[in-house]
Structures are given as structure tokens and as C-alpha cells.
Amino acid sequence: MKFKKKVLKNGLHVITVPMPSFESATALVMVGAGSRYENRKNNGISHFLEHMCFKGTKSRPTFMEVAGLIDGIGGEFNAFTNKEYTGYYIKAAKNNIEICLELLSDMIQNSLLEPSEIEKEKGVIIEEINLYEDTPMRKISDIYERLLYGNTPLGWDIAGEKDIIKSIKRADFIKYLQEYYSPTNMTVVLAGGIDPKKSVEMVEKYFSNMKSFKTGNFLKIKESQKKPQIMIKTKKTEQAHLALGFRTVSLDSPEKFPLWVLSAVLGGGMSSRLFSEVRERRGLAYYVRSNSDQYTDAGSLVVTAGVDPKRAQEAVEVIVSELSDLRDGKKKIKKDELKKAKESIKGHTVLELEDSRSASIFYATQDILEKKILNPNELLKKIDKVTEGEIMTVAKKYLRDNGLNLALIGDFNNKEQFEKLLSL
């Protein structure tokens, strides 16, 4: 899989990813602005705007007209909001890609943002927030990042807070669009059964009239943790959920690659160390996994698990023990274990990229966040090159008390029972 990139006169980035055997194609518009670009008065507006872009345009004044167009070609459309970007995509048969691109252009440039629709959608957003609150398996990540990044935009929930959502007006959306939705801050990707030359011409046709302007930026994180931290969201649940992790590196660090492999060794599958020890051997959890995540200025390696509340302390103790045993070399990484971890990452990457939507996101996020794009084969080579020594270096460097954080959701009323366990 290879790509081509072109920058239009107005600064818009266009990436084409031909996948010749595909009968489908995806058109994606990604904007380099997400929830960390917000402030206390408009927290949640990035995600709210994503909803509103489907509610009607000047030429298609209602949601039904927008949805009907896509339904009429058998396509699928959706959007997603991250802390550092927002994406809008339509996937359909390859011969309908121009319809998809024209509609996305219309939504981005000509959304009506009708006050009556805004008021109705507030109820939808609030119910979505309620859904997250009632889904602790998902909510635990929000609690963990609030612990890591505190009362900053990076620490706030992407969906926002109910009171703020209720206060947002049409003028707030207009202001936000005028601050961040510049073509210089956007990437359009066309992936699948496409003709690259014709694809670029279509993007020029529908997006070249957009006026560029200087966009705002986000508040960078300053990390100064000196000892382990705990945050508990007290909630009566049948299952307690925990996230135990460490501050690591930002997206531009070469250390992210050994951290990815380290994460796979720890909790990347059903034969990983944590799954074997926490679930299979001790029966402490239904799910246990690890991830190594990076933002443009911060990162974290985190273990999440859903455990019996009565055995939550034991679960934390076992996870901490496994992490320290790896770091200190008490349980060395074997050659076959290292190989399996690498193959797991590579295999999941390959499977994910068999879908044109995933391929478009793969390229767009790199272009928006990293300013440098790797093809999948180049990424897989970097994974292959990771050595046991590099993994041990990052383990010794980052699996430390002064970067350790524990977030919990469950019927717990004090931190003391867990504080004594947080020592590596």
C-alpha cells in the first residue's frame, strides 16, 4: 500500500491511497482540532460540532436529506472526535466517491447550524454523556486521563460537561469554525478503489474555494509528577474497573516503538503476561489489557482491567508485581515472547488496514499529528527492529513510582487501601 500527497494552493492536504482490488472507497476529511483545543466555556464543542455537521446544509436543509443521499447509494457515514483531531467520513461503492466528497465538502463549508437543531441535539449529547457514565469499562479511560492531565483541556472529557453543553449557542460554533476549520488545518484522504489523478481533481473542485487563515493552538502539558497518584470515582457497580499506568513519551519520540512492543508483551492478547497471570491463573478479571498511547506532547502506558470489587487490591498488587518483575529482569523477555508480541502488532495492523476507512484514518492521523507519513511496510519494519534491550531500557526508564497513576471506578471510599500497593 502506497500513498501520494498534494498540497492545494489554499493549503489543504490531499492524500490518495489506491487499493486496486477494492470495489469500495472512503472519503475522509480530518481537521487538526479536537477537545484539547477547547476552553472551559466551550468544552465539548468539537464533538458537538461533529454532530451538527450532519443536521443540514444550505442545499440539503435537513438531516433526512443528508442521510437519504447516502442511503440512496448504499453508503455509510459517520464522524469521530479525538482530543487532537476530528474526522468525517463516507464510505461507498467506488463509482460513488464523488457524491461522498461533494457531500463532505458541503457539510464542512455550509452547515446551517440551525438554533432549533442545536437545542434538540443538546439532548442527544447529554444522553451520550449518560451512556458513557453508565459504561465504566469505557469511562475508566476518562478518569485515568483526568488524573494524568488534571483540570486542563487534555484532561477533560471529549463529550464535555452537561451544563456547558446546555449553554452552547450557534455563535459558539461559528467562532470555533473560524478559529480552526482552515484548509491549512485539514487533510482530505481518498482510499480504496480510486483513480488518484481524478481524486485530486475532485478535491480541488469541491474544496479549493475554501479560504485559509491562521489557526489557534492548544495549551501544552507540563508534567511534574513526583510520587504515585490515585483517583477514585465512587460508584456502586458489580465490577470494579481500574487503569494503572505510567507517563511515557510523546508521538514524535522513537521510544514509542519499544513501548508498543512492551505493551504487547504485557497485555496485547490472550497469551500475554497479564492475561495469563491476572485472568487465567488467578481468576481476578474478566478483561485485562495494556495500551501505549501518545499525544503530540505526552504519552502513557496503561493497563486496564475489570475485576471483582472484593479482590481489587489483589488485582492491583498482581499487576504491579508483573510490571516490576519485567522491569527488574526477574521475568526476562524470551525470544519467542518478543517475536509473538511483534507479530501481534503487525498482524493487527495488517488486518485493520484491509478496510479503506481504517486506511484513510491511518494516513490522515499521521499527516495531521506527525507531519511525516509512514507507509504500513515502513511502520512494520520499525516494529521488527525493536530489540529486547530497547524494551528493557524503556521499562527501566518509565515504569517508575514517580510516573505511576491509578484510576478506579467502584464502591471504594478511601485511597489508603490502594496507596500502600503503589510501589515498584
Side-chain angles (χ1 to χ4, degrees), residues 57-116:
T57 69
K58 293 176 182 178
S59 60
R60 303 175 178 95
T62 67
F63 169 77
M64 290 306 297
E65 289 177 83
V66 173
L69 179 61
I70 300 305
D71 288 345
I73 60 173
E76 63 176 56
F77 64 103
N78 212 331
F80 49 89
T81 306
N82 185 277
K83 292 192 173 180
E84 296 191 313
Y85 56 80
T86 305
Y88 306 81
Y89 74 88
I90 305 175
K91 181 179 177 182
K94 64 182 182 182
N95 58 302
N96 288 317
I97 195 65
E98 184 167 4
I99 296 173
C100 302
L101 197 59
E102 187 273 328
L103 179 55
L104 285 170
S105 168
D106 193 26
M107 290 163 51
I108 295 295
Q109 298 182 66
N110 303 310
S111 283
L112 290 176
L113 303 171
E114 288 281 3
S116 60

Side-chain angles (χ1 to χ4, degrees), residues 157-256:
D157 292 357
I158 291 171
E161 296 181 10
K162 295 178 186 180
D163 288 344
I164 298 174
I165 295 299
K166 290 176 183 177
S167 71
I168 291 176
K169 305 295 183 186
R170 186 177 191 274
D172 299 314
F173 289 111
I174 299 299
K175 186 174 185 291
Y176 185 83
L177 285 165
Q178 292 173 344
E179 288 179 342
Y180 299 112
Y181 274 53
S182 168
T184 56
N185 196 33
M186 291 183 187
T187 297
V188 176
V189 182
L190 290 159
I194 62 162
D195 179 308
K197 185 174 182 296
K198 289 181 179 178
S199 295
V200 174
E201 291 172 355
M202 285 189 286
V203 176
E204 288 180 322
K205 178 179 177 180
Y206 296 112
F207 287 87
S208 61
N209 288 333
M210 289 186 72
K211 297 289 190 290
S212 61
F213 54 87
K214 186 176 181 181
T215 58
N217 210 332
F218 57 78
L219 180 69
K220 290 191 175 181
I221 287 296
K222 294 180 180 179
E223 299 181 296
S224 58
Q225 185 176 346
K226 301 211 178 342
K227 62 180 182 178
Q229 300 180 141
I230 299 177
M231 180 176 286
I232 297 175
K233 181 178 178 64
T234 302
K235 187 180 181 73
K236 288 188 177 182
T237 58
E238 293 298 317
Q239 185 180 65
H241 296 261
L242 66 88
L244 187 151
F246 304 83
R247 298 179 190 272
T248 58
V249 300
S250 59
L251 200 53
D252 62 353
S253 171
E255 289 183 324
K256 69 182 179 184

